Amino acid sequence: MTAPTLNISFNLQWVAQESSERTWIARCDPLGLVLEESSLDKLYGLIPEAMEALFRDLIEADELQRFLLDRGWRRKDVPVVSRDTQDISVPWQLIAAGRHHDSELVTH
């Protein structure tokens, strides 16, 4: 039997800017997340980890659907998940200071 997978078809955008302290700060408005790292490459690696942690916590608390609906997702775009969901597939983009990194990364 295949383990359940969470697939979110919404392409999440992360927007990053270099701060005055020479760190990079990225925000994802649809998720309400803000991350900071010392380099753009480190930030790029942190994004899937942060999304995985957020979604795992929401799934465990049985709050994912409410979280997404409260942030403007339409009901037809909100996935139905169970606590035994194993894989999380969320496409995302990082847009930073004139640079553009597309990602079809899957968080595990």
Side-chain angles (χ1 to χ4, degrees):
M1 180 175 186
T2 304
T5 298
L6 167 63
N7 290 304
I8 293 183
S9 59
F10 192 82
N11 190 10
L12 295 172
Q13 286 192 345
W14 288 80
V15 179
Q17 295 178 341
E18 193 170 18
S19 73
S20 59
E21 290 83 32
R22 307 299 257 169
T23 61
W24 283 90
I25 299 172
R27 75 178 195 287
C28 180
D29 291 335
L31 297 180
L33 291 177
V34 176
L35 302 174
E36 182 177 12
E37 259 302 351
S38 59
S39 72
L40 193 57
D41 286 338
K42 288 182 180 180
L43 187 61
Y44 193 75
L46 182 61
I47 289 171
E49 293 174 24
M51 288 192 308
E52 165 119 11
L54 173 67
F55 290 129
R56 292 240 175 257
D57 286 348
L58 290 168
I59 291 167
E60 185 62 32
D62 198 25
E63 295 178 1
L64 179 65
Q65 290 179 334
R66 175 62 32 213
F67 175 86
L68 295 175
L69 289 171
D70 287 349
R71 280 157 183 78
W73 262 271
R74 293 182 306 241
R75 186 162 299 279
K76 70 178 185 83
D77 297 329
V78 174
V80 175
V81 296
S82 66
R83 288 188 178 163
D84 60 344
T85 296
Q86 297 296 312
D87 292 322
I88 299 173
S89 174
V90 184
W92 57 276
Q93 297 178 307
L94 176 61
I95 301 169
R99 300 178 190 177
H100 187 82
H101 295 282
D102 286 329
S103 176
E104 293 296 326
L105 294 179
V106 175
T107 60
H108 290 88

